[in-house]
Amino acid sequence: MTTLCSFGPGPHQVEFQVELPADPNNYATIPANPTILINLYTDDMPHAAHLFLEQIAHGLWNGCSFVVNAAHVFQVGAVRKESGESQMKYFAHKELDILAFQEYSPDHPHEQYTVGFAGRPAGPEFYINKMDNTESNGPGGQDHHDLNEEADPCFGKVDDSSITVLERLFGLPVVEENGPNDQFLVEPLHILSARIIGWVDPVEVTLAQKREEEAVKEAAAKEANNDNAAEQQQHQQQEQQQQQTVTPDHDAEEKKKMHDAIKKAEAASPVKVDGAEEDDKKP
């Protein structure tokens, strides 16, 4: 359920890009800095798959290296290529370093090209099975652990499209043949990037949704302001029209009052109004 909530219903794929020059003479179809595509067993191995997805989502494998090229596995180390510095503290800081238990599904044994977590407890380092390791990495296959009935979690498999790339990687030289360090690569294989395919960061989705909601609110507020301005303008126009309608009637009424006053004055006095000369006075 956690994987579904965080990364969607799947299927879930991850892509590793490694730093490797082109070799047109021997591997003409493989470009420089090729990629490895891994399909995860999310449904049957939810705990291990979810841990792996979280590690990648937090960028923990970026800058790390493939360091072991043993006869049976090709393994990643949580170390920087340039300095050899361990990156384990960054996994531990995010609490994404180990599994809570040795998850295993009999439906997904350690067949060739499958991917498993190493160690007890398992993680964070993982490997690609170069051969069928169903027995050696499965239940009861590792007697050097206290609980030898447990198995390494097998949580995915390299996609068929990346097998040619794997075959080239499996041929990379090791430090020395048949010596104490014969499993280690002469040159650690730098991981340029690790990313989840076909997945959108939920944090970015949330931010995008918030931005969209804010834009909608802003547009609604702007529209409301425009409506209020239009309503106020219409109200002002109506008031002006009312004033223009009332003013002529008011003026006419005032003129009528003045006219009546003049008539009344003329009737009461022999003197003409409005500057006219006085009438002849009778003795």
Short mmCIF file of all heavy atoms in Angstrom, two decimals, residues 214-275:
data_model
loop_
_atom_site.label_atom_id
_atom_site.label_comp_id
_atom_site.label_asym_id
_atom_site.label_seq_id
_atom_site.Cartn_x
_atom_site.Cartn_y
_atom_site.Cartn_z
N GLU A 214 -3.92 28.20 -6.50
CA GLU A 214 -3.68 29.62 -6.26
C GLU A 214 -4.00 30.45 -7.51
O GLU A 214 -4.55 31.55 -7.41
CB GLU A 214 -2.23 29.84 -5.85
CG GLU A 214 -1.91 29.30 -4.46
CD GLU A 214 -0.44 29.39 -4.12
OE1 GLU A 214 0.33 29.83 -5.01
OE2 GLU A 214 -0.06 29.04 -2.99
N ALA A 215 -3.67 29.92 -8.68
CA ALA A 215 -3.96 30.63 -9.92
C ALA A 215 -5.47 30.76 -10.13
O ALA A 215 -5.96 31.81 -10.57
CB ALA A 215 -3.32 29.89 -11.11
N VAL A 216 -6.20 29.69 -9.80
CA VAL A 216 -7.66 29.73 -9.93
C VAL A 216 -8.25 30.75 -8.97
O VAL A 216 -9.13 31.54 -9.34
CB VAL A 216 -8.26 28.33 -9.67
CG1 VAL A 216 -9.78 28.40 -9.58
CG2 VAL A 216 -7.86 27.36 -10.77
N LYS A 217 -7.74 30.75 -7.72
CA LYS A 217 -8.23 31.71 -6.74
C LYS A 217 -7.92 33.14 -7.17
O LYS A 217 -8.76 34.04 -7.03
CB LYS A 217 -7.60 31.43 -5.37
CG LYS A 217 -8.09 30.15 -4.71
CD LYS A 217 -7.41 29.95 -3.36
CE LYS A 217 -7.88 28.66 -2.69
NZ LYS A 217 -7.20 28.44 -1.38
N GLU A 218 -6.72 33.34 -7.69
CA GLU A 218 -6.32 34.68 -8.14
C GLU A 218 -7.20 35.14 -9.30
O GLU A 218 -7.64 36.30 -9.34
CB GLU A 218 -4.85 34.66 -8.56
CG GLU A 218 -4.32 36.02 -8.97
CD GLU A 218 -2.85 35.97 -9.32
OE1 GLU A 218 -2.22 34.91 -9.11
OE2 GLU A 218 -2.33 36.99 -9.83
N ALA A 219 -7.48 34.23 -10.23
CA ALA A 219 -8.34 34.58 -11.36
C ALA A 219 -9.76 34.91 -10.89
O ALA A 219 -10.39 35.85 -11.38
CB ALA A 219 -8.35 33.43 -12.37
N ALA A 220 -10.25 34.11 -9.91
CA ALA A 220 -11.59 34.35 -9.39
C ALA A 220 -11.66 35.70 -8.67
O ALA A 220 -12.63 36.44 -8.81
CB ALA A 220 -11.99 33.22 -8.45
N ALA A 221 -10.61 36.01 -7.89
CA ALA A 221 -10.58 37.29 -7.20
C ALA A 221 -10.52 38.45 -8.17
O ALA A 221 -11.19 39.48 -7.99
CB ALA A 221 -9.37 37.33 -6.25
N LYS A 222 -9.73 38.30 -9.22
CA LYS A 222 -9.63 39.34 -10.24
C LYS A 222 -10.96 39.55 -10.94
O LYS A 222 -11.39 40.69 -11.19
CB LYS A 222 -8.55 38.96 -11.25
CG LYS A 222 -8.27 40.04 -12.28
CD LYS A 222 -7.11 39.62 -13.19
CE LYS A 222 -6.82 40.72 -14.20
NZ LYS A 222 -5.69 40.34 -15.10
N GLU A 223 -11.64 38.46 -11.25
CA GLU A 223 -12.94 38.55 -11.89
C GLU A 223 -13.96 39.21 -10.98
O GLU A 223 -14.78 40.03 -11.42
CB GLU A 223 -13.41 37.15 -12.29
CG GLU A 223 -14.73 37.14 -13.06
CD GLU A 223 -15.14 35.75 -13.49
OE1 GLU A 223 -14.37 34.81 -13.24
OE2 GLU A 223 -16.23 35.61 -14.08
N ALA A 224 -13.88 38.86 -9.67
CA ALA A 224 -14.80 39.48 -8.71
C ALA A 224 -14.54 40.97 -8.60
O ALA A 224 -15.49 41.78 -8.53
CB ALA A 224 -14.64 38.81 -7.34
N ASN A 225 -13.26 41.36 -8.62
CA ASN A 225 -12.92 42.79 -8.56
C ASN A 225 -13.44 43.51 -9.80
O ASN A 225 -13.96 44.63 -9.72
CB ASN A 225 -11.41 42.97 -8.43
CG ASN A 225 -10.89 42.53 -7.08
OD1 ASN A 225 -11.64 42.52 -6.10
ND2 ASN A 225 -9.63 42.16 -7.03
N ASN A 226 -13.30 42.87 -10.94
CA ASN A 226 -13.80 43.48 -12.19
C ASN A 226 -15.31 43.63 -12.13
O ASN A 226 -15.86 44.65 -12.57
CB ASN A 226 -13.39 42.63 -13.38
CG ASN A 226 -11.89 42.66 -13.64
OD1 ASN A 226 -11.21 43.60 -13.22
ND2 ASN A 226 -11.38 41.66 -14.33
N ASP A 227 -16.00 42.61 -11.60
CA ASP A 227 -17.46 42.68 -11.48
C ASP A 227 -17.87 43.80 -10.54
O ASP A 227 -18.82 44.55 -10.82
CB ASP A 227 -18.01 41.34 -10.98
CG ASP A 227 -17.87 40.23 -12.01
OD1 ASP A 227 -17.67 40.55 -13.20
OD2 ASP A 227 -17.95 39.05 -11.63
N ASN A 228 -17.14 43.94 -9.42
CA ASN A 228 -17.45 45.01 -8.47
C ASN A 228 -17.23 46.37 -9.09
O ASN A 228 -18.03 47.29 -8.90
CB ASN A 228 -16.59 44.86 -7.22
CG ASN A 228 -16.96 43.64 -6.39
OD1 ASN A 228 -18.09 43.17 -6.47
ND2 ASN A 228 -16.02 43.13 -5.61
N ALA A 229 -16.13 46.51 -9.85
CA ALA A 229 -15.84 47.78 -10.51
C ALA A 229 -16.92 48.12 -11.53
O ALA A 229 -17.37 49.27 -11.63
CB ALA A 229 -14.47 47.73 -11.17
N ALA A 230 -17.32 47.10 -12.30
CA ALA A 230 -18.37 47.32 -13.29
C ALA A 230 -19.69 47.68 -12.62
O ALA A 230 -20.43 48.56 -13.10
CB ALA A 230 -18.53 46.07 -14.15
N GLU A 231 -19.98 47.03 -11.51
CA GLU A 231 -21.22 47.31 -10.78
C GLU A 231 -21.20 48.73 -10.22
O GLU A 231 -22.21 49.45 -10.28
CB GLU A 231 -21.38 46.29 -9.67
CG GLU A 231 -22.70 46.41 -8.91
CD GLU A 231 -22.87 45.34 -7.87
OE1 GLU A 231 -22.05 44.39 -7.85
OE2 GLU A 231 -23.82 45.43 -7.08
N GLN A 232 -20.05 49.15 -9.68
CA GLN A 232 -19.94 50.50 -9.15
C GLN A 232 -20.09 51.53 -10.26
O GLN A 232 -20.75 52.57 -10.08
CB GLN A 232 -18.59 50.67 -8.45
CG GLN A 232 -18.46 49.88 -7.16
CD GLN A 232 -17.09 50.04 -6.52
OE1 GLN A 232 -16.22 50.71 -7.08
NE2 GLN A 232 -16.91 49.42 -5.37
N GLN A 233 -19.47 51.26 -11.41
CA GLN A 233 -19.58 52.18 -12.54
C GLN A 233 -21.02 52.30 -13.01
O GLN A 233 -21.52 53.40 -13.30
CB GLN A 233 -18.68 51.71 -13.68
CG GLN A 233 -18.65 52.66 -14.87
CD GLN A 233 -17.69 52.18 -15.94
OE1 GLN A 233 -17.14 51.10 -15.83
NE2 GLN A 233 -17.50 52.98 -16.97
N GLN A 234 -21.70 51.16 -13.08
CA GLN A 234 -23.10 51.17 -13.48
C GLN A 234 -23.96 51.94 -12.48
O GLN A 234 -24.85 52.70 -12.87
CB GLN A 234 -23.60 49.73 -13.62
CG GLN A 234 -25.03 49.62 -14.13
CD GLN A 234 -25.48 48.18 -14.27
OE1 GLN A 234 -24.74 47.28 -13.88
NE2 GLN A 234 -26.66 47.97 -14.81
N HIS A 235 -23.66 51.77 -11.20
CA HIS A 235 -24.40 52.48 -10.16
C HIS A 235 -24.18 53.99 -10.28
O HIS A 235 -25.14 54.79 -10.15
CB HIS A 235 -23.96 51.98 -8.79
CG HIS A 235 -24.70 52.61 -7.64
ND1 HIS A 235 -26.04 52.38 -7.42
CD2 HIS A 235 -24.28 53.48 -6.67
CE1 HIS A 235 -26.43 53.07 -6.36
NE2 HIS A 235 -25.36 53.74 -5.89
N GLN A 236 -22.93 54.40 -10.54
CA GLN A 236 -22.63 55.81 -10.70
C GLN A 236 -23.36 56.39 -11.91
O GLN A 236 -23.88 57.51 -11.87
CB GLN A 236 -21.12 56.01 -10.85
CG GLN A 236 -20.34 55.74 -9.57
CD GLN A 236 -18.85 55.82 -9.79
OE1 GLN A 236 -18.39 55.98 -10.92
NE2 GLN A 236 -18.10 55.70 -8.69
N GLN A 237 -23.38 55.63 -13.00
CA GLN A 237 -24.09 56.09 -14.20
C GLN A 237 -25.58 56.25 -13.92
O GLN A 237 -26.21 57.23 -14.38
CB GLN A 237 -23.86 55.10 -15.35
CG GLN A 237 -22.44 55.10 -15.89
CD GLN A 237 -22.23 54.04 -16.95
OE1 GLN A 237 -23.10 53.17 -17.15
NE2 GLN A 237 -21.09 54.09 -17.61
N GLN A 238 -26.15 55.32 -13.18
CA GLN A 238 -27.57 55.42 -12.83
C GLN A 238 -27.84 56.65 -11.97
O GLN A 238 -28.84 57.36 -12.18
CB GLN A 238 -28.02 54.16 -12.11
CG GLN A 238 -28.08 52.93 -13.00
CD GLN A 238 -28.42 51.66 -12.23
OE1 GLN A 238 -28.42 51.66 -11.00
NE2 GLN A 238 -28.71 50.59 -12.96
N GLU A 239 -26.95 56.94 -11.03
CA GLU A 239 -27.11 58.11 -10.19
C GLU A 239 -27.04 59.39 -11.01
O GLU A 239 -27.81 60.34 -10.81
CB GLU A 239 -26.05 58.13 -9.09
CG GLU A 239 -26.28 57.09 -7.99
CD GLU A 239 -25.25 57.21 -6.90
OE1 GLU A 239 -24.20 57.86 -7.13
OE2 GLU A 239 -25.48 56.65 -5.81
N GLN A 240 -26.08 59.43 -11.95
CA GLN A 240 -25.96 60.60 -12.82
C GLN A 240 -27.21 60.79 -13.66
O GLN A 240 -27.68 61.93 -13.84
CB GLN A 240 -24.72 60.45 -13.72
CG GLN A 240 -23.40 60.53 -12.97
CD GLN A 240 -22.22 60.28 -13.87
OE1 GLN A 240 -22.38 59.96 -15.06
NE2 GLN A 240 -21.02 60.41 -13.32
N GLN A 241 -27.73 59.69 -14.19
CA GLN A 241 -28.95 59.79 -14.98
C GLN A 241 -30.11 60.29 -14.14
O GLN A 241 -30.92 61.12 -14.58
CB GLN A 241 -29.28 58.43 -15.60
CG GLN A 241 -28.33 57.98 -16.69
CD GLN A 241 -28.62 56.58 -17.18
OE1 GLN A 241 -29.51 55.91 -16.65
NE2 GLN A 241 -27.88 56.15 -18.20
N GLN A 242 -30.21 59.83 -12.90
CA GLN A 242 -31.27 60.29 -12.01
C GLN A 242 -31.12 61.78 -11.71
O GLN A 242 -32.10 62.53 -11.68
CB GLN A 242 -31.24 59.47 -10.72
CG GLN A 242 -31.70 58.04 -10.89
CD GLN A 242 -31.57 57.23 -9.61
OE1 GLN A 242 -31.07 57.74 -8.61
NE2 GLN A 242 -32.03 55.99 -9.66
N GLN A 243 -29.86 62.21 -11.50
CA GLN A 243 -29.62 63.62 -11.24
C GLN A 243 -30.01 64.47 -12.44
O GLN A 243 -30.61 65.54 -12.31
CB GLN A 243 -28.15 63.85 -10.88
CG GLN A 243 -27.77 63.29 -9.53
CD GLN A 243 -26.29 63.45 -9.25
OE1 GLN A 243 -25.54 63.93 -10.10
NE2 GLN A 243 -25.89 63.05 -8.04
N GLN A 244 -29.65 63.98 -13.65
CA GLN A 244 -30.01 64.71 -14.85
C GLN A 244 -31.52 64.77 -15.04
O GLN A 244 -32.07 65.74 -15.56
CB GLN A 244 -29.35 64.07 -16.08
CG GLN A 244 -27.83 64.21 -16.09
CD GLN A 244 -27.19 63.44 -17.21
OE1 GLN A 244 -27.88 62.74 -17.95
NE2 GLN A 244 -25.88 63.57 -17.35
N THR A 245 -32.21 63.73 -14.61
CA THR A 245 -33.68 63.70 -14.74
C THR A 245 -34.32 64.61 -13.70
O THR A 245 -35.30 65.31 -13.99
CB THR A 245 -34.20 62.27 -14.56
OG1 THR A 245 -33.57 61.43 -15.53
CG2 THR A 245 -35.71 62.22 -14.73
N VAL A 246 -33.77 64.65 -12.52
CA VAL A 246 -34.35 65.44 -11.43
C VAL A 246 -34.06 66.92 -11.60
O VAL A 246 -34.90 67.78 -11.34
CB VAL A 246 -33.82 64.94 -10.07
CG1 VAL A 246 -34.24 65.89 -8.95
CG2 VAL A 246 -34.32 63.54 -9.80
N THR A 247 -32.90 67.28 -12.09
CA THR A 247 -32.47 68.68 -12.17
C THR A 247 -33.40 69.56 -13.00
O THR A 247 -33.80 70.63 -12.55
CB THR A 247 -31.04 68.75 -12.71
OG1 THR A 247 -30.18 68.06 -11.82
CG2 THR A 247 -30.59 70.20 -12.84
N PRO A 248 -33.83 69.15 -14.23
CA PRO A 248 -34.74 70.00 -15.00
C PRO A 248 -36.04 70.26 -14.26
O PRO A 248 -36.56 71.38 -14.27
CB PRO A 248 -34.98 69.19 -16.27
CG PRO A 248 -33.76 68.34 -16.40
CD PRO A 248 -33.39 68.00 -14.99
N ASP A 249 -36.61 69.27 -13.64
CA ASP A 249 -37.84 69.46 -12.89
C ASP A 249 -37.62 70.43 -11.74
O ASP A 249 -38.47 71.28 -11.45
CB ASP A 249 -38.34 68.12 -12.36
CG ASP A 249 -38.76 67.18 -13.50
OD1 ASP A 249 -38.98 67.71 -14.60
OD2 ASP A 249 -38.84 65.96 -13.27
N HIS A 250 -36.51 70.32 -11.10
CA HIS A 250 -36.20 71.20 -9.98
C HIS A 250 -36.05 72.65 -10.44
O HIS A 250 -36.59 73.58 -9.82
CB HIS A 250 -34.91 70.72 -9.30
CG HIS A 250 -34.50 71.56 -8.12
ND1 HIS A 250 -35.17 71.55 -6.93
CD2 HIS A 250 -33.49 72.48 -7.99
CE1 HIS A 250 -34.61 72.40 -6.09
NE2 HIS A 250 -33.57 72.97 -6.73
N ASP A 251 -35.37 72.84 -11.58
CA ASP A 251 -35.20 74.19 -12.14
C ASP A 251 -36.54 74.77 -12.55
O ASP A 251 -36.81 75.98 -12.32
CB ASP A 251 -34.26 74.15 -13.34
CG ASP A 251 -32.82 73.80 -12.91
OD1 ASP A 251 -32.54 73.90 -11.69
OD2 ASP A 251 -32.02 73.42 -13.78
N ALA A 252 -37.35 73.98 -13.17
CA ALA A 252 -38.67 74.46 -13.59
C ALA A 252 -39.50 74.87 -12.39
O ALA A 252 -40.21 75.90 -12.41
CB ALA A 252 -39.39 73.37 -14.38
N GLU A 253 -39.39 74.11 -11.34
CA GLU A 253 -40.15 74.44 -10.12
C GLU A 253 -39.65 75.75 -9.52
O GLU A 253 -40.45 76.60 -9.08
CB GLU A 253 -40.00 73.30 -9.12
CG GLU A 253 -40.87 73.49 -7.87
CD GLU A 253 -40.76 72.31 -6.92
OE1 GLU A 253 -40.17 71.29 -7.33
OE2 GLU A 253 -41.27 72.42 -5.80
N GLU A 254 -38.33 75.94 -9.52
CA GLU A 254 -37.77 77.17 -8.99
C GLU A 254 -38.17 78.36 -9.84
O GLU A 254 -38.51 79.45 -9.32
CB GLU A 254 -36.23 77.05 -8.93
CG GLU A 254 -35.71 76.07 -7.89
CD GLU A 254 -36.06 76.52 -6.49
OE1 GLU A 254 -36.06 77.75 -6.23
OE2 GLU A 254 -36.35 75.64 -5.64
N LYS A 255 -38.16 78.19 -11.16
CA LYS A 255 -38.58 79.27 -12.06
C LYS A 255 -40.04 79.62 -11.84
O LYS A 255 -40.45 80.80 -11.87
CB LYS A 255 -38.34 78.87 -13.51
CG LYS A 255 -36.88 78.85 -13.90
CD LYS A 255 -36.71 78.44 -15.36
CE LYS A 255 -35.23 78.43 -15.75
NZ LYS A 255 -35.06 78.02 -17.17
N LYS A 256 -40.87 78.61 -11.65
CA LYS A 256 -42.30 78.84 -11.42
C LYS A 256 -42.50 79.63 -10.14
O LYS A 256 -43.33 80.55 -10.05
CB LYS A 256 -43.04 77.51 -11.37
CG LYS A 256 -44.55 77.65 -11.24
CD LYS A 256 -45.21 76.29 -11.29
CE LYS A 256 -46.74 76.43 -11.22
NZ LYS A 256 -47.18 77.12 -10.01
N LYS A 257 -41.74 79.23 -9.09
CA LYS A 257 -41.85 79.96 -7.84
C LYS A 257 -41.45 81.42 -8.01
O LYS A 257 -42.09 82.35 -7.47
CB LYS A 257 -40.97 79.29 -6.78
CG LYS A 257 -41.50 77.97 -6.28
CD LYS A 257 -40.58 77.40 -5.22
CE LYS A 257 -41.10 76.06 -4.69
NZ LYS A 257 -40.19 75.50 -3.66
N MET A 258 -40.38 81.67 -8.76
CA MET A 258 -39.93 83.05 -9.00
C MET A 258 -40.97 83.84 -9.79
O MET A 258 -41.26 85.00 -9.51
CB MET A 258 -38.59 83.03 -9.73
CG MET A 258 -37.99 84.42 -9.93
SD MET A 258 -36.37 84.33 -10.74
CE MET A 258 -35.47 83.54 -9.43
N HIS A 259 -41.51 83.15 -10.82
CA HIS A 259 -42.53 83.81 -11.64
C HIS A 259 -43.75 84.18 -10.82
O HIS A 259 -44.30 85.30 -10.92
CB HIS A 259 -42.93 82.90 -12.80
CG HIS A 259 -43.98 83.47 -13.70
ND1 HIS A 259 -43.72 84.51 -14.58
CD2 HIS A 259 -45.30 83.16 -13.83
CE1 HIS A 259 -44.84 84.82 -15.22
NE2 HIS A 259 -45.81 84.00 -14.80
N ASP A 260 -44.17 83.28 -9.94
CA ASP A 260 -45.33 83.56 -9.09
C ASP A 260 -45.03 84.70 -8.15
O ASP A 260 -45.90 85.55 -7.85
CB ASP A 260 -45.71 82.30 -8.30
CG ASP A 260 -46.26 81.19 -9.21
OD1 ASP A 260 -46.65 81.52 -10.35
OD2 ASP A 260 -46.28 80.01 -8.77
N ALA A 261 -43.80 84.74 -7.64
CA ALA A 261 -43.41 85.82 -6.73
C ALA A 261 -43.46 87.18 -7.42
O ALA A 261 -43.89 88.18 -6.86
CB ALA A 261 -42.03 85.55 -6.16
N ILE A 262 -42.99 87.19 -8.69
CA ILE A 262 -43.00 88.44 -9.45
C ILE A 262 -44.43 88.89 -9.70
O ILE A 262 -44.78 90.07 -9.53
CB ILE A 262 -42.25 88.26 -10.77
CG1 ILE A 262 -40.75 88.04 -10.49
CG2 ILE A 262 -42.45 89.46 -11.69
CD1 ILE A 262 -39.96 87.68 -11.71
N LYS A 263 -45.30 88.00 -10.09
CA LYS A 263 -46.70 88.33 -10.33
C LYS A 263 -47.34 88.89 -9.08
O LYS A 263 -48.11 89.86 -9.12
CB LYS A 263 -47.45 87.07 -10.79
CG LYS A 263 -47.10 86.60 -12.19
CD LYS A 263 -47.63 87.59 -13.21
CE LYS A 263 -47.42 87.07 -14.63
NZ LYS A 263 -47.92 88.04 -15.63
N LYS A 264 -47.03 88.27 -7.97
CA LYS A 264 -47.60 88.71 -6.72
C LYS A 264 -47.11 90.11 -6.37
O LYS A 264 -47.85 90.97 -5.89
CB LYS A 264 -47.23 87.71 -5.63
CG LYS A 264 -47.91 88.00 -4.29
CD LYS A 264 -47.56 86.90 -3.30
CE LYS A 264 -48.25 87.18 -1.96
NZ LYS A 264 -47.93 86.13 -0.95
N ALA A 265 -45.81 90.38 -6.62
CA ALA A 265 -45.24 91.70 -6.33
C ALA A 265 -45.85 92.76 -7.23
O ALA A 265 -46.13 93.89 -6.81
CB ALA A 265 -43.73 91.65 -6.50
N GLU A 266 -46.04 92.41 -8.49
CA GLU A 266 -46.63 93.37 -9.43
C GLU A 266 -48.05 93.72 -9.03
O GLU A 266 -48.52 94.85 -9.17
CB GLU A 266 -46.59 92.81 -10.84
CG GLU A 266 -45.21 92.77 -11.44
CD GLU A 266 -45.22 92.16 -12.83
OE1 GLU A 266 -46.25 91.51 -13.18
OE2 GLU A 266 -44.19 92.26 -13.53
N ALA A 267 -48.73 92.70 -8.56
CA ALA A 267 -50.12 92.96 -8.17
C ALA A 267 -50.20 93.84 -6.93
O ALA A 267 -51.14 94.62 -6.74
CB ALA A 267 -50.84 91.64 -7.93
N ALA A 268 -49.24 93.76 -6.05
CA ALA A 268 -49.27 94.50 -4.80
C ALA A 268 -48.67 95.89 -4.90
O ALA A 268 -48.92 96.75 -4.06
CB ALA A 268 -48.58 93.71 -3.71
N SER A 269 -47.84 96.16 -5.91
CA SER A 269 -47.12 97.44 -5.99
C SER A 269 -47.31 98.07 -7.35
O SER A 269 -47.34 97.38 -8.36
CB SER A 269 -45.63 97.21 -5.73
OG SER A 269 -44.91 98.41 -5.93
N PRO A 270 -47.46 99.44 -7.38
CA PRO A 270 -47.56 100.13 -8.68
C PRO A 270 -46.24 100.24 -9.38
O PRO A 270 -46.17 100.62 -10.53
CB PRO A 270 -48.09 101.51 -8.29
CG PRO A 270 -47.56 101.74 -6.92
CD PRO A 270 -47.58 100.42 -6.25
N VAL A 271 -45.17 99.93 -8.65
CA VAL A 271 -43.85 100.03 -9.26
C VAL A 271 -43.56 98.79 -10.05
O VAL A 271 -43.77 97.67 -9.58
CB VAL A 271 -42.77 100.23 -8.19
CG1 VAL A 271 -41.40 100.35 -8.83
CG2 VAL A 271 -43.07 101.44 -7.33
N LYS A 272 -43.08 99.01 -11.26
CA LYS A 272 -42.75 97.87 -12.10
C LYS A 272 -41.48 97.20 -11.61
O LYS A 272 -40.57 97.85 -11.11
CB LYS A 272 -42.58 98.30 -13.54
CG LYS A 272 -43.88 98.75 -14.19
CD LYS A 272 -43.66 99.08 -15.63
CE LYS A 272 -44.98 99.48 -16.32
NZ LYS A 272 -44.79 99.80 -17.73
N VAL A 273 -41.44 95.99 -11.78
CA VAL A 273 -40.29 95.20 -11.35
C VAL A 273 -39.36 95.01 -12.53
O VAL A 273 -39.71 95.25 -13.68
CB VAL A 273 -40.76 93.86 -10.78
CG1 VAL A 273 -39.60 93.09 -10.17
CG2 VAL A 273 -41.83 94.09 -9.73
N ASP A 274 -38.18 94.52 -12.27
CA ASP A 274 -37.17 94.21 -13.29
C ASP A 274 -36.62 95.47 -13.92
O ASP A 274 -36.36 95.51 -15.13
CB ASP A 274 -37.71 93.29 -14.38
CG ASP A 274 -38.02 91.92 -13.85
OD1 ASP A 274 -37.41 91.50 -12.82
OD2 ASP A 274 -38.87 91.25 -14.43
N GLY A 275 -36.54 96.58 -13.11
CA GLY A 275 -35.88 97.78 -13.61
C GLY A 275 -36.77 98.66 -14.45
O GLY A 275 -36.32 99.61 -15.06
#
